[in-house]
């Protein structure tokens, strides 16, 4: 189906002038819809139904979360069209359109005049990001909703180990034999990681509404450098708030790239970590429990470890999940994320201390 025809399936204002590809997410395909004067522009996405299922429930999750945040933004005198995503329904009122190939499409309003960053280059930016994620969590902290688990076991390491064992047993493309060392990285930390997840399973860590993909380019900043809005809500789920802190730290503190071929570039930047922690805790201190706070530093290791596992597992599986740009891309990602994990492990005591000190400064 032609992209302009697809756009016409949604309740858009104005006339569609152009639909162009945007960015390069690993999961969805994203386009911008440009309309004529006086109407907003839009984001059109083909949602990946291999990853998220069922898509209608995912859109429902997003709607529940964004409507809740919208009320808060309005109550605070903010701009409900800029400070939170707005889902635009299809002409039949559904939150998605299903095309003739059974692909699902969804639209939201494009928030104009924003800045995004691919890396948290300065502590100031990291601090702002921490406030952004903290504020997001704070706004949904009183939302008592059971969202549909559209991506089962997303940050659940017990579930990941189950997938891991299955993939290793199958070894579908015969890559396992050459990966004894990398597989050892995963196996040697298994108990430690399961021990953390047990705290969630036994209720020591509370269940909250969480974003689950807190990289810095999922935050829109305004031209003045203030956090405007957290985007990419596909993975909003009921889980532990620590996923969001941990994933942000995996992403923000990396001095190299997620797939850096030069491991010398990769390490954890403590100043970036501290700045994020400060921004985050300023916004969340009022509701986080002592146990959540106690495990903040650990969550950075946890999510980074999980990402090592996921990239390596996808490589062994023959690259079915993440889009790749070269045959060994997932292995390159695995090694780079492992280097980051090692750097966090080396600095772990200091990471924990930074949380305690930040807290003391806030009291
Ligand atoms: C995926 O597509 P993107 O970049 O938003 C993935 C995250 C990973 C990330 C690795 C649903 O996110 O969990 O951390 O790639 N999202 C999903 O860069 O699997
Ligand atoms: Mg995402």
């Amino acid at each position: 189906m032609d992209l302009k025809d697809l756009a016409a399936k949604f309740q858009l204002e104005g006339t569609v002038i152009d639909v162009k590809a945007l960015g390069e997410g690993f999961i969805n395909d994203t386009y911008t819809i440009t309309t004529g004067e006086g109407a907003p522009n839009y984001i059109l996405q083909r949602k990946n139904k291999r990853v998220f299922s069922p898509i209608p429930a995912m859109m429902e999750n997003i709607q529940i979360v964004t409507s809740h945040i919208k009320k808060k933004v309005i109550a605070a005198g903010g701009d409900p069209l800029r400070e939170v995503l707005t889902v635009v329904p299809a002409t039949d009122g559904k939150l998605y359109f299903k095309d003739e190939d059974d692909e699902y499409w969804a639209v939201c309003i494009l928030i104009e005049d924003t800045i995004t960053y691919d890396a948290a280059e300065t502590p100031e930016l990291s601090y702002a990001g921490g406030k952004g994620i903290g504020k997001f969590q704070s706004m949904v902290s009183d939302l008592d909703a059971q969202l549909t688990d559209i991506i089962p076991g997303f940050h659940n390491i017990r579930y990941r180990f189950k997938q891991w064992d299955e993939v290793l047993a199958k070894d579908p493309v015969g890559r396992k034999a050459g990966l004894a060392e990398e597989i050892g990285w995963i196996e040697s930390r298994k108990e430690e990681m399961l021990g953390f997840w047990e705290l969630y399973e036994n209720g020591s860590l509370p269940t909250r509404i969480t974003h689950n993909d807190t990289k810095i380019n999922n935050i829109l900043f305004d031209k003045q450098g203030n956090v405007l809005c957290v985007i990419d809500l596909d993975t909003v789920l009921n889980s532990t708030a620590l996923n969001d802190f941990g994933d942000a730290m995996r992403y923000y503190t990396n001095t190299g790239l997620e797939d850096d071929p030069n491991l010398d570039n990769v390490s954890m930047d403590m100043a970036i970590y501290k700045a994020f922690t400060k921004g985050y805790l300023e916004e969340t201190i009022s509701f986080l429990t002592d146990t959540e706070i106690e495990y903040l530093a650990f969550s950075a290791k946890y999510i980074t470890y999980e990402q090592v596992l996921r990239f390596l597992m996808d490589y062994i599986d023959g690259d079915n999940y993440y889009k790749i740009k070269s045959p060994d891309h997932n292995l390159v990602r695995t090694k780079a994320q492992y280097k980051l994990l090692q750097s966090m492990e080396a600095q772990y005591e200091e990471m924990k201390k930074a949380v305690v000190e930040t807290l003391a400064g806030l009291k």
Side-chain angles (χ1 to χ4, degrees), residues 24-28 51-52 151 154-155 160 212-213 215 218 232 235 247 250-251 258 306-307 310-311 321-322:
E24 30 181 295
F26 295 179
I27 308 285
N28 298 317
V51 171
F52 310 112
I151 179 160
F154 191 48
H155 287 310
R160 294 296 179 190
N212 296 296
D213 192 4
K215 35 187 183 216
N218 279 337
D232 188 5
T235 48
D247 203 21
R250 175 185 80 79
Y251 197 84
E258 188 179 67
E306 183 202 293
Q307 196 64 64
R310 290 173 67 197
F311 283 146
Y321 190 87
Y322 293 108

Side-chain angles (χ1 to χ4, degrees), residues 142-194:
D142 62 339
L143 172 57
D144 182 18
Q146 187 56 52
L147 303 179
T148 305
D149 198 3
I150 45 83
I151 179 160
F154 191 48
H155 287 310
N156 172 345
I157 209 69
R158 192 182 299 287
Y159 178 80
R160 294 296 179 190
F161 285 134
K162 200 169 146 270
Q163 289 183 312
W164 168 259
D165 289 341
E166 283 164 13
V167 168
L168 261 69
K170 254 205 205 146
D171 191 22
V173 287
R175 282 177 170 167
K176 197 172 96 176
L179 295 169
E181 186 187 346
E182 290 81 356
I183 291 170
W185 300 340
I186 300 301
E187 300 289 343
S188 62
R189 292 167 176 83
K190 204 168 172 174
E191 292 315 313
E192 183 190 11
M193 297 300 160
L194 273 173

Side-chain angles (χ1 to χ4, degrees), residues 114-149:
T114 62
I115 306 172
T116 54
Y117 299 91
D118 282 326
E121 270 148 24
T122 61
E124 291 72 28
L125 192 53
S126 184
Y127 171 77
K131 287 200 94 76
I133 296 303
K135 206 166 162 199
F136 174 85
Q137 286 191 349
S138 164
M139 285 194 288
V140 292
S141 62
D142 62 339
L143 172 57
D144 182 18
Q146 187 56 52
L147 303 179
T148 305
D149 198 3

Side-chain angles (χ1 to χ4, degrees), residues 215-233:
K215 35 187 183 216
I216 195 163
N217 55 13
N218 279 337
I219 295 186
L220 303 182
F221 293 83
D222 67 16
K223 291 266 157 79
Q224 287 71 45
N226 305 310
V227 171
L228 201 53
C229 171
V230 176
I231 58 168
D232 188 5
L233 301 179

Side-chain angles (χ1 to χ4, degrees), residues 254 257-261 263 266 331-341:
N254 191 348
L257 301 173
E258 188 179 67
D259 59 351
D260 215 309
L263 296 181
V266 178
L331 185 58
V332 172
R333 288 168 171 153
T334 301
K335 290 180 178 168
Q337 291 287 289
Y338 182 63
K339 176 74 196 301
L340 179 64
L341 175 62

Side-chain angles (χ1 to χ4, degrees), residues 227-279:
V227 171
L228 201 53
C229 171
V230 176
I231 58 168
D232 188 5
L233 301 179
D234 292 348
T235 48
V236 286
L237 297 167
N238 299 95
S239 191
T240 158
L242 296 178
N243 293 343
D244 289 352
F245 182 87
D247 203 21
M249 292 302 82
R250 175 185 80 79
Y251 197 84
Y252 281 62
T253 66
N254 191 348
T255 52
L257 301 173
E258 188 179 67
D259 59 351
D260 215 309
N262 181 357
L263 296 181
D264 291 340
N265 292 339
V266 178
S267 64
M268 198 213 72
D269 185 321
M270 186 55 82
I272 298 287
Y273 170 86
K274 285 184 180 166
F276 186 94
T277 302
K278 182 161 186 285

